[in-house]
Amino acid sequence: MSFRNVVLVRPGELTIKGKTTRKRFEQLLMQNMADALKTAGIVAELKRGYGRFYVYDSYEAVKVLRKVFGIKSLSLAVEFEFKNLDDLLEKSEEFFREKVKGKSFAVRTKRTGSHNFTSLDVNRHLGERLLKYASKVDLENPEVSVFVEIRENKAYLFTEIVKAYGGLPIGSEGKVVALVSGGFDSLVASWLLLKRGVEVDFLYLNLGGAVSRCYTIRAVKSLADNWCYGYRPKLYIVDFSGMIRELKTKVKPELLGVVLKRYMYRAANSIARRIGAEGIATGENLGQVSSQTLTNLNVIDKSSEFVVLRPVLTFDKDEIVEMAREIGTYEFSSMVKEICGVYSFHPKTHSSLEEVLKEEEKIDVNVFLESLANVECIDIRHSSLTDVGCTEEVQSLEIEEIPEDAVILDIRPSEKFQTENIPGSINVDIWNLEELVKKIGKDKKYVVVCDEGGLSREAAYILRQIGVKAYSLKGGMRRIKRHNGR
């Protein structure tokens, strides 16, 4: 038989676009598919037809192409030319007879072009030919679906349809800057924008240090490597530790979260202007934390000159986490811990623009401008973790149990420490950490504690850089409370 292996690719929403737009979208999809295949090291012939794309001689292409946005579904098929209905039926019988042997089946035919037979003719006659091999015909719940797709004088035979993710080809809807922490929400939000054809560049405002930077890079890279086909996404990193220190020193604690978000938006606006983006995006979710009430979001929004996109605004947290599992970012996002939450206590859920502007008058704007003067730019898909300084040392700082001889350093705000703490622990500001350790003694063993284990990883890393044996308590105080059933 003159069968040729082919992956039959079905585009999704782009097929309902106007002629000019559809042509442009199809060209983008071809480009993105080619990039995906090249990235995976797959050498295959790629062709475009009307309403279909064809990838020849590589069934391996399905796994990677189902992650190319703009594709609705794919099938592992065989292609052949036929002369007439009898020729079509004979070759189809040869292909399917072993597949339906002893099983129930149904024939499903689609046809485009001019022929002297109908799709129903193919269903009926091929069904008759295959019935002698099968147990029965079952149109409602067959064990094997026999698919025949006819396009002019060529036919495509297959038994499965592999669902892809649909959407629009990346590059069809402009560019945005997505504020990312590496956590579940911001990466799922970025994925949803990619699905709608947006080129997403990422901005990480680092409130911690080398450890937070490393975990965030790993998480963003897990998204970029598997979904950002057709362009070269950039991850911009800005050291925002000076900014958080400025805010912590001068802004009322209950308003710190809102003011911080406004400066984050301003930073995203700066990057957006620099790269020609048309909007900024966040993983904000309505009502999830204090800064994400409708009132506070309204105040925060007024700091941005660009449209603010929030794709996961109405999702439940468990829905977002489930999506993270589906798209492959869950494992890496679960290792990213919150940093900004450790700097605020009893945050205000309903702030006014007037009181926030009054707090912002206290801030030295030069601190903000200095943070933006040194922006790190990473070609996230084409850089390895080693290239960007994510060493094994940065990734092995956590400990699950506190040794009996360890000195416990609690770097949470004093208000939280006074409310609850580990007996015998010492409350210290992270910026005074090195000075305290030098007084106690660099020869001792230290375990650093914070809310979730994010900032304590940074602290442990800082101490290791000066030769101290230091660890971060995995999961922080929240893990202890969960363990104690509180």
Side-chain angles (χ1 to χ4, degrees), residues 264-275:
M264 287 180 165
Y265 279 25
R266 291 177 178 124
N269 275 241
S270 175
I271 299 297
R273 287 192 298 270
R274 185 182 306 186
I275 66 174

Side-chain angles (χ1 to χ4, degrees), residues 416-465:
K416 290 186 177 181
F417 179 79
Q418 291 167 8
T419 302
E420 58 184 352
N421 57 69
I422 300 172
S425 59
I426 302 170
N427 188 216
V428 56
D429 193 301
I430 188 171
W431 291 299
N432 299 325
L433 193 63
E434 289 185 52
E435 182 181 348
L436 176 64
V437 167
K438 288 175 182 177
K439 287 181 180 179
I440 297 175
K442 293 173 63 176
D443 58 331
K444 296 184 181 297
K445 184 185 298 181
Y446 292 88
V447 174
V448 191
V449 179
C450 69
D451 280 327
E452 291 191 353
L455 195 60
S456 58
R457 285 193 305 212
E458 298 289 354
Y461 181 72
I462 290 170
L463 293 179
R464 287 195 185 185
Q465 299 310 295

Side-chain angles (χ1 to χ4, degrees), residues 63-164:
K63 186 176 181 180
V64 63
L65 289 181
R66 70 184 298 267
K67 293 185 176 181
V68 175
F69 293 117
I71 296 175
K72 182 180 180 181
S73 66
L74 313 95
S75 290
L76 301 173
V78 294
E79 176 192 88
F80 65 91
E81 293 186 4
F82 64 92
K83 298 175 183 177
N84 49 44
L85 178 58
D86 285 340
D87 187 30
L88 170 67
L89 294 172
E90 181 181 341
K91 291 175 179 176
S92 298
E93 178 185 354
E94 176 68 20
F95 179 78
F96 286 118
R97 65 186 181 188
E98 288 299 319
K99 293 177 172 54
V100 302
K101 192 172 183 179
K103 299 176 181 178
S104 62
F105 76 99
V107 180
R108 322 283 194 193
T109 302
K110 285 187 176 181
R111 184 181 61 86
T112 60
S114 179
H115 307 94
N116 61 358
F117 57 85
T118 66
S119 297
L120 290 177
D121 290 334
V122 177
N123 287 346
R124 183 174 66 254
H125 292 305
L126 183 55
E128 290 172 354
R129 286 175 176 245
L130 294 177
L131 184 56
K132 60 192 172 200
Y133 308 106
S135 62
K136 63 176 181 177
V137 173
D138 185 346
L139 299 180
E140 298 298 324
N141 189 30
E143 293 177 87
V144 179
S145 291
V146 170
F147 292 102
V148 181
E149 187 162 315
I150 302 166
R151 306 184 76 80
E152 300 298 345
N153 69 328
K154 291 183 179 179
Y156 301 87
L157 311 178
F158 51 95
T159 57
E160 292 184 12
I161 296 175
V162 178
K163 289 185 178 180

Side-chain angles (χ1 to χ4, degrees), residues 121-353:
D121 290 334
V122 177
N123 287 346
R124 183 174 66 254
H125 292 305
L126 183 55
E128 290 172 354
R129 286 175 176 245
L130 294 177
L131 184 56
K132 60 192 172 200
Y133 308 106
S135 62
K136 63 176 181 177
V137 173
D138 185 346
L139 299 180
E140 298 298 324
N141 189 30
E143 293 177 87
V144 179
S145 291
V146 170
F147 292 102
V148 181
E149 187 162 315
I150 302 166
R151 306 184 76 80
E152 300 298 345
N153 69 328
K154 291 183 179 179
Y156 301 87
L157 311 178
F158 51 95
T159 57
E160 292 184 12
I161 296 175
V162 178
K163 289 185 178 180
Y165 292 88
L168 297 174
I170 293 176
S172 61
E173 291 299 325
K175 178 184 290 189
V176 303
V177 174
L179 280 159
V180 293
S181 64
F184 301 117
D185 301 353
S186 58
L187 293 191
V188 169
S190 298
W191 183 87
L192 289 168
L193 288 170
L194 290 165
K195 182 181 177 183
R196 295 310 301 165
V198 177
E199 287 188 6
V200 178
D201 279 349
F202 308 94
L203 172 61
Y204 172 53
L205 301 172
N206 191 358
L207 306 180
V211 182
S212 296
R213 173 184 174 277
C214 177
Y215 278 96
T216 297
I217 289 173
R218 290 176 64 191
V220 174
K221 188 168 176 59
S222 72
L223 178 69
D225 285 353
N226 291 292
W227 298 96
C228 294
Y229 296 120
Y231 77 112
R232 298 186 72 147
K234 302 297 189 299
L235 169 60
Y236 298 92
I237 301 179
V238 175
D239 182 353
F240 234 46
S241 59
M243 196 65 209
I244 191 67
R245 190 168 187 172
E246 174 76 2
L247 267 56
K248 186 176 183 293
T249 304
K250 297 180 179 178
V251 174
K252 292 179 180 178
E254 65 270 23
L255 293 174
L256 190 149
V258 171
V259 175
L260 174 61
K261 280 291 183 69
R262 283 169 58 86
Y263 273 96
M264 287 180 165
Y265 279 25
R266 291 177 178 124
N269 275 241
S270 175
I271 299 297
R273 287 192 298 270
R274 185 182 306 186
I275 66 174
E278 300 174 72
I280 68 173
T282 79
E284 288 165 323
N285 177 266
L286 189 61
Q288 182 170 265
V289 296
S290 61
S291 65
Q292 295 174 17
T293 63
L294 199 56
T295 302
N296 282 347
L297 288 176
N298 189 43
V299 171
I300 295 167
D301 258 8
K302 289 179 170 56
S303 65
S304 177
E305 66 187 76
F306 289 96
V307 61
V308 182
L309 303 173
R310 299 184 177 96
V312 298
L313 185 73
T314 62
F315 287 25
D316 289 345
K317 188 67 175 185
D318 57 352
E319 293 177 303
I320 295 172
V321 171
E322 186 57 35
M323 289 185 71
R325 293 183 190 276
E326 173 68 18
I327 68 179
T329 58
Y330 175 86
E331 178 184 353
F332 299 99
S333 289
S334 65
M335 299 177 187
V336 175
K337 303 299 180 184
E338 182 185 15
I339 294 293
C340 59
V342 304
Y343 295 110
S344 60
F345 193 66
H346 292 317
K348 195 168 185 178
T349 57
H350 293 77
S351 59
S352 68
L353 181 60

